[in-house]
Amino acid sequence: MTTKYVLFNFARRKGLVITFMPKPMYQQAGNGMHLHLFLTRNGRNAFYKKGEYGNINELGRMFIGGLLKHGPALSAFTNPSTNSYKRLVPGFEAPVALTYGQGNRASAIRIPRYVSSPAETRFEYRPPDATANPYLCLTAMLLAGIDGVVQKTDPAKDGYGPFDKNIHDESPREPIHFLPRNLDEALDALSADNAFLLRGGIFYRRAPRSMGESQRAGNPIDRTMPHPFEYKLYFNL
């Protein structure tokens, strides 16, 4: 939020206009907001274990599993604008696949190869963009990861990887899960998968029926508007 505020004002002083739109220009790489994640325990990296894949231990893998399992529902928070899904298309190193790996930029989660320090071992969740509300986005991601730990979700057993090659360049043996293709699909996913968000009373559900239903039923022109029309979600902190 601070970065956006400072840059908007700096650009205005210089007579320029900047944008954080996920996909402002056709056939050009978009703007992502990759989020690097790890937990600490007693001041140490809780995800590190030397010799494991990417030096990520079982706790880290379960956290990854939770993010990938709930990835479609998370999209309503991490990618909350119609323009978000103009970026999430194959090509341009866009993270469209609900997979993880060290060298696959099409994966939603990438474990950086360049990190060698135990204290900095981490992974990055690559789908989010700057149209997200960071408070809702980060909270939802944390709850998804915690759910993966609670449920002991194993991303390898569930077919999420690891994939170290671009999935578009090879034929994976397991079927690949993909992120929603548009905001409607993301809202549908959130309607079907939201129990993990209610753990601990952090989020509460305001709508008795599926989230986003009233917005989508309101004005049909919203689906065809050229600007990044945003749907308001029925979740409050």
Side-chain angles (χ1 to χ4, degrees):
M1 299 296 287
T2 302
T3 298
K4 291 171 74 173
Y5 178 79
V6 170
L7 290 177
F8 278 135
N9 280 277
F10 179 76
R12 185 176 181 180
R13 290 180 183 179
K14 297 295 183 180
L16 302 173
V17 176
I18 62 173
T19 179
F20 289 90
M21 283 179 64
K23 192 74 169 183
M25 292 179 288
Y26 181 62
Q27 291 295 318
Q28 298 294 323
N31 292 322
M33 188 173 70
H34 302 174
L35 298 174
H36 291 243
L37 304 168
F38 65 91
L39 301 181
T40 60
R41 179 187 290 139
N42 298 324
R44 295 186 177 184
N45 192 325
F47 285 173
Y48 176 77
K49 185 175 182 180
K50 186 176 181 179
E52 297 282 355
Y53 179 82
N55 292 327
I56 298 289
N57 63 14
E58 183 182 31
L59 177 66
R61 290 194 299 272
M62 291 189 296
F63 199 97
I64 287 173
L67 284 170
L68 295 175
K69 176 183 177 181
H70 299 297
L74 283 178
S75 295
F77 297 97
T78 60
N79 307 94
S81 69
T82 54
N83 187 259
S84 297
Y85 300 89
K86 305 298 190 292
R87 165 181 167 253
L88 296 177
V89 295
F92 307 103
E93 297 185 351
V96 296
L98 287 169
T99 58
Y100 75 103
Q102 290 183 285
N104 187 351
R105 293 184 179 274
S107 288
I109 290 179
R110 185 171 73 100
I111 303 172
R113 291 183 185 274
Y114 57 81
V115 175
S116 58
S117 168
E120 296 183 357
T121 295
R122 61 187 184 272
F123 58 84
E124 57 176 327
Y125 191 64
R126 305 178 75 243
D129 62 58
T131 62
N133 179 318
Y135 303 101
L136 299 179
C137 170
L138 290 168
T139 303
M141 288 174 55
L142 182 60
L143 287 169
I146 290 174
D147 188 70
V149 175
V150 172
Q151 303 295 335
K152 300 186 183 302
T153 304
D154 186 332
K157 288 184 178 179
D158 288 352
Y160 295 116
F163 296 101
D164 285 329
K165 294 183 179 180
N166 193 317
I167 60 170
H168 303 300
D169 297 334
E170 62 179 12
S171 299
R173 286 176 287 182
E174 299 289 337
I176 299 295
H177 303 279
F178 290 92
L179 288 165
R181 294 169 295 179
N182 53 60
L183 185 55
D184 276 348
E185 287 189 9
L187 292 172
D188 287 341
L190 180 60
S191 296
D193 177 26
N194 55 70
F196 71 97
L197 294 167
L198 306 180
R199 177 175 281 111
I202 298 175
F203 282 97
Y204 63 91
R205 193 180 306 167
R206 295 184 63 187
R209 297 183 180 179
S210 62
M211 280 67 72
E213 181 177 310
S214 62
Q215 293 92 331
R216 288 180 290 189
N219 188 353
I221 198 172
D222 293 343
R223 299 174 185 235
T224 59
M225 291 293 286
H227 63 80
F229 182 86
E230 296 184 14
Y231 291 93
K232 180 181 178 183
L233 296 175
Y234 275 91
F235 273 104
N236 272 357
L237 280 175

